Amino acid sequence: MINLLLFPILIPFLFAAILLFFPKKVKAQRIITIIGLLTALSSAFVLLWKVKTDGVQSLTLGSWAPPFGITMVSDMMSALLVTSSLLIGLFVVWFSFTSIGIEREKSFYYPAILFMLTGVNGAFTTGDIFNMFVFFEVLLMSSYVLIVLGGEKVQLRESIKYILVNIVSSSLFVITVGYLYSVVGTLNMADISIKLADIGQAGIVTVIAVLFLIVFGIKGAIFPLFFWLPGSYAAPPIPILTLFGALLTKVGVYAIIRTYTLFFTTDIGFTHELLMIVSILTIIAGCIGALAYFDVKKIIIYNIIIAVGVILFGASVMNESGMMGSMFYLIHDILIKGALFLLIGIIIHITGTSDLRKMGGLIKRYPVLGWSYLIAAFGLAGIPPLSGFIGKLLIIQGGFENELLWQSIFILASSLIVLLSAIRIFIYAFWGEEKGALDFHPKTYRHLLAPTITLVVLTVLYGVGSEYLVPFMTDATAVLLDPSVYSNAVFGGGK
């Protein structure tokens, strides 16, 4: 039963390998991808329940005793993120059947998605810092394929920037891991945690902590390292944008939270203070971008940056309310960004443009789409009782508990900017004189709407049923605030 924690990584990998043999058979590709994702998702739910009932699971490969073998660890945070990533993957693939186009489907589209999910889930599950680098590379290789798929001019231009930034980031990652290894002599994350606690407050450890913040900050798009993200994410088609927007920055955010709660806890006065300042600057940068553009893609993309700041602020306060708020908000943001990108994808399909000034009056012909978008926009802004509310409330409560009065009020005020930016899309696209609507086949519309509405309903249930999720979030928070739980699971065999 314990080997379950490898299933959400191995199943997408094996199905992706199978799909490589017949890229031109689109129908078979679709069926096999859906079967693969449903199987992986089922295993993720079973793993989630296993972690809930039996505690943190760990597995060291090759029968080596930790810290010598490569260790995989599934705690509640990891299990929740793995489940969410597979869920988003499923909705993106369902949406892709109607929207991505046959030519792209024949160009290894589905294997690239499954390989990317392999990398994402591996990064969430690994208990070895070098192995995290390896899984980052797996998901990046797949994202390089996806970002250029179709070969449009804007995609190729933006992909060069995207690839260059990630090559620099990956090089820095290896160098930083090398520095860390030279200090502690181990790559096992539980072992690093114990060794760094023994070393205590040392200047070199703080330097390594800041280097890791830069490495993961590039991937997570924190201030001022987010410059590459808006252009790169806006270039590929909507399903790929949805996958990137919902998942890729979250891997960077996860890595920051994991290292800053497990390793770098000896000099909190500096490292976590820095993290808090960076998170607030990230929110400001995201707010400016979200209000500055009339491009629907860019508005929601800048909202990704705002969310990254909010999640990291909650993590930086290092108390139970803030950390639990971050966990609630992290899963909420994966779901809500997925829903919003699919919604604006349908709007772009209908109007043939992503420019708000060329849209209008869609509510007359597409009322279900309009009201679904409004619900998702309220969820994004954290209007109670929708999905963003409980997470943001707990993050602000965590700030107040640490007497961070102005910072907490600022986080609260940023919700108004988020609401304003999202409502602007609703007003421009759905109200006013009808303009920009193309002839759109009702069947195509229904096929695009089905996965989108389902995901919006899921985000509403996540908000309304948040009390049922509290035990899961409490377990996740307990491990983050007490690194010994993680270490004991690894060295005690995870029993």
Side-chain angles (χ1 to χ4, degrees), residues 139-389:
L139 72 91
L140 286 172
M141 296 281 185
S142 314
S143 72
Y144 298 156
V145 174
L146 289 169
I147 201 168
V148 297
L149 207 63
E152 290 172 12
K153 192 176 176 182
V154 64
Q155 283 178 271
L156 296 174
R157 187 183 69 235
E158 290 296 340
S159 66
I160 293 168
K161 182 169 70 178
Y162 178 75
I163 291 168
L164 283 174
V165 165
N166 278 300
I167 287 170
V168 172
S169 165
S170 297
S171 309
L172 191 59
F173 194 171
V174 176
I175 293 165
T176 310
V177 169
Y179 279 143
L180 184 61
Y181 185 76
S182 72
V183 173
V184 292
T186 179
L187 294 169
N188 182 294
M189 282 155 68
D191 202 27
I192 292 168
S193 172
I194 294 165
K195 297 264 172 65
L196 286 179
D198 291 342
I199 291 168
Q201 191 168 338
I204 183 68
V205 176
T206 305
V207 170
I208 293 168
V210 173
L211 282 171
F212 269 119
L213 183 60
I214 293 168
V215 169
F216 298 139
I218 294 173
K219 305 214 186 302
I222 63 172
F223 179 88
L225 307 169
F226 67 86
F227 62 90
W228 59 273
L229 183 133
S232 298
Y233 278 20
I238 286 292
I240 297 170
L241 163 59
T242 307
L243 203 59
F244 283 15
L247 290 184
L248 288 195
T249 48
K250 307 306 179 297
V251 181
V253 170
Y254 163 81
I256 291 172
I257 293 175
R258 176 67 77 201
T259 51
Y260 270 60
T261 54
L262 192 60
F263 309 163
F264 305 121
T265 53
T266 52
D267 190 10
I268 286 180
F270 179 80
T271 52
H272 290 62
E273 183 82 12
L274 176 66
L275 185 60
M276 187 183 69
I277 292 165
V278 165
S279 68
I280 287 172
L281 291 172
T282 306
I283 294 168
I284 293 169
C287 287
I288 292 167
L291 294 179
Y293 284 92
F294 278 95
D295 184 306
V296 283
K297 288 185 187 176
K298 290 272 176 73
I299 292 169
I300 306 297
I301 287 168
Y302 273 101
N303 271 293
I304 298 173
I305 296 167
I306 298 172
V308 167
V310 172
I311 294 162
L312 291 179
F313 178 83
S316 73
V317 298
M318 285 297 273
N319 61 24
E320 192 178 349
S321 303
M323 200 63 83
M324 194 190 286
S326 282
M327 276 309 304
F328 262 112
Y329 207 80
L330 186 54
I331 308 296
H332 141 79
D333 200 61
I334 291 174
L335 298 175
I336 202 76
K337 289 297 190 300
L340 280 165
F341 280 123
L342 296 184
L343 284 161
I344 64 166
I346 301 177
I347 295 170
I348 293 167
H349 263 280
I350 293 168
T351 58
T353 179
S354 60
D355 188 338
L356 280 179
R357 290 165 293 195
K358 295 177 183 171
M359 301 176 187
L362 294 179
I363 200 87
K364 295 185 186 76
R365 268 203 259 177
Y366 304 102
V368 176
L369 177 66
W371 299 121
S372 302
Y373 175 81
L374 191 65
I375 290 167
F378 283 161
L380 179 72
I383 306 286
L386 299 171
S387 59
F389 171 68

